[in-house]
Amino acid sequence: MQLRQAIQEISGMKYMTGSLNVLSPIGKNYLLDLPFLTKKDEIEAVLNDTEAMVDLLKENTRENNLNLLYTKIMQLRDISGTIRRLETGIVLNDIEFFEIKHLAILSEYIRETVFNIGLSCIQIPDLTDVIQMLDPENKRISHFYIYNQYSVLLNELRERLKHNLQNETATENLQYEAELEEDRIRKELTQKLSVHSLEIKKALTEIARLDVLLAKGIQTCEMNLSRPVIGLSETAFTGLFHPEIKYLLSKQHKNFQPVDISVPQSPTVITGANMSGKSVTLQSVALVQTMAQFGFYVPAASAIITPVEKIVVSVSEAVNETGGLSSFASEMLRLNTMIENAHNRLSQLVLIDEPARTTNPKEGNAIVCGIVDFLKQYQVRSLITTHYSMDMNCRKLRVKGFTPHGSKEKITVQNINSYIDYSLEETNETEVPQEAIKIAEIVGVDSELLEYAKNYLKH
């Protein structure tokens, strides 16, 4: 899986990548092509790079050098096509020579700056030989033409052209000879440059990586993200939050309440009333696990993460990608992915939001219990939210939920979240919390209808 796919599948990834200030087109492509990492040492290596960048950003003495990097990176062009032509031996044209010359001069500025600030994780090759080939006048100016210095013959032909402008036939012959010599030089220059094609390609890639690394470092500082600890067995979070939802709440002058949660190598069932944040908790766990395995710092006060090979998410907001099927049918098909992964012995994190919620309660409860039994059998790290009663042996968490604390303030739709405690607590209860009618009253559902409902609850 690449990051471009995760953006489509994981809630909040589009927001997080959209908030990255990647400066160049090639940097944006590099970002989208980032691989999903499953090995501890690979993830740690990427996190080390991000940590080095964060440390640099916090040093005020580096500000001028960093500003220079921003300016230079903004000038970077995606010349991957030109490099591919060079690798295959196709004779380059003057525009393509210019593109390589521009990159080479730019990379030397950036390489020197990176060295000065001590960012050793970025290894830009030395392209001074390339510059010398494309800049025989040694002016370090990003333009290109076939210089007189490339050929004594070409220089002579051009000098003769200056003095034979009155003789049309002679001029045409000289121009033709000059063009032939220019073509010969282009072919020779392409052959010489092709020897350096790998270094040129690596320079482009490393500057793109630097672009993304700068953006990640800035995002980490601005959003107060933390470095995850990559474990081998434990997955646990403190102060877990969802940046996009936190931002949306802040626009309404509301606060996001972070939560603490661990995800052992077995299923955990989470219960709680509507509006109690169960879905958001699942989305936040998915987001943090995904970000960590792409080498990002994460939205949590602290996080210990065991890498997995697959992340399977089935939430109520999921798009019906099977087209034309009922929500229940498409949900069941999504669960097949989890089952296949388990049968193939792939490590996975499974997050299921209210499975079988759209079918009848008796069968729905049976399906949820069956899912939990399956996950227990295969020891799958998983979280399942439900409104069904769960009289079975598994780990259970309950959202504390609605807590008015004896307040005399009138509770309304606008302030109700201030009276909900989103934290999780262990529970052995088999019955789920019953707060739906209370919330319905708060949001203004007609009292006559609610009285009918309350009468049924009494029986």
Side-chain angles (χ1 to χ4, degrees), residues 13-55:
M13 280 302 295
K14 185 175 182 180
Y15 175 81
M16 294 304 293
T17 55
S19 68
L20 288 168
N21 186 26
V22 181
L23 301 171
S24 67
I26 187 69
K28 291 173 183 176
N29 288 334
Y30 182 91
L31 173 69
L32 294 175
D33 289 339
L34 287 175
F36 184 72
L37 305 172
T38 58
K39 292 180 169 48
K40 174 182 169 69
D41 57 345
E42 293 177 343
I43 301 171
E44 292 280 13
V46 179
L47 290 173
N48 287 342
D49 293 347
T50 305
E51 183 174 11
M53 178 57 72
V54 170
D55 290 342

Side-chain angles (χ1 to χ4, degrees), residues 402-411 418-419 438:
F402 191 61
T403 53
H405 301 303
S407 173
K408 296 182 180 179
E409 179 186 19
K410 182 180 179 180
I411 302 174
S418 301
Y419 296 93
K438 184 185 299 183

Side-chain angles (χ1 to χ4, degrees), residues 157-399:
L157 290 170
R158 286 175 174 173
E159 285 296 321
R160 289 169 61 187
L161 274 168
K162 292 179 183 179
H163 301 94
N164 286 278
L165 297 179
Q166 304 302 320
N167 188 328
E168 184 174 342
T169 302
T171 297
E172 289 178 356
N173 290 336
L174 287 170
Q175 286 176 337
Y176 178 70
E177 290 184 55
E179 288 171 3
L180 287 178
E181 181 64 5
E182 288 174 3
D183 288 342
R184 185 195 66 78
I185 292 168
R186 289 187 185 94
K187 183 177 180 179
E188 182 183 88
L189 201 54
T190 299
Q191 291 173 342
K192 290 180 178 178
L193 281 174
S194 66
V195 177
H196 300 276
S197 59
L198 288 178
E199 295 101 301
I200 295 169
K201 185 176 183 178
K202 184 178 180 182
L204 182 64
T205 301
E206 282 293 280
I207 299 173
R209 187 164 75 91
L210 174 62
D211 188 5
V212 172
L213 191 58
L214 274 165
K216 287 169 65 177
I218 293 169
Q219 181 189 67
T220 295
C221 296
E222 290 180 346
M223 291 191 176
N224 197 27
L225 308 181
S226 65
R227 174 171 177 156
V229 175
I230 308 303
L232 296 175
S233 60
E234 183 181 3
T235 295
F237 312 97
T238 63
L240 177 70
F241 67 96
H242 194 291
E244 182 175 13
I245 297 173
K246 181 179 179 180
Y247 170 73
L248 293 173
L249 287 173
S250 69
K251 291 180 69 176
Q252 303 171 37
H253 306 289
K254 297 177 181 178
N255 295 321
F256 184 100
Q257 180 185 333
V259 298
D260 302 343
I261 187 171
S262 62
V263 191
Q265 191 75 40
S266 59
T268 296
V269 174
I270 303 176
T271 60
N274 287 327
M275 298 176 63
S276 62
K278 301 187 304 299
S279 299
V280 173
T281 296
L282 261 60
Q283 292 170 359
S284 301
V285 169
L287 177 63
V288 171
Q289 182 84 28
T290 303
M291 289 182 64
Q293 292 198 229
F294 278 106
F296 286 80
Y297 276 39
V298 299
S302 67
I304 302 173
I305 292 174
T306 297
V308 295
E309 294 168 281
K310 299 288 182 180
I311 299 174
V312 179
V313 183
S314 179
V315 297
S316 55
E317 291 81 3
V319 176
N320 182 357
E321 69 277 12
T322 51
L325 292 177
S326 68
S327 59
F328 175 75
S330 62
E331 176 188 42
M332 293 300 104
L333 288 178
R334 285 196 299 273
L335 290 178
N336 269 342
T337 302
M338 172 267 292
I339 296 167
E340 290 171 7
N341 291 340
H343 287 160
N344 292 326
R345 302 297 177 181
L346 296 175
S347 61
Q348 58 180 328
L349 172 66
V350 173
L351 305 163
I352 310 174
D353 188 26
E354 296 186 33
R357 63 193 173 279
T358 57
T359 191
N360 70 78
K362 185 174 181 180
E363 286 187 300
N365 186 283
I367 289 171
V368 174
C369 291
I371 291 171
V372 172
D373 274 341
F374 178 89
L375 295 169
K376 285 175 63 179
Q377 176 67 29
Y378 286 89
Q379 289 293 288
V380 177
R381 199 180 300 276
S382 50
L383 297 175
I384 306 99
T385 68
T386 186
H387 282 295
Y388 295 128
S389 299
M390 296 294 296
D391 188 10
M392 63 186 305
N393 183 25
C394 66
R395 178 177 180 244
K396 298 172 190 172
L397 298 177
R398 179 188 184 278
V399 182

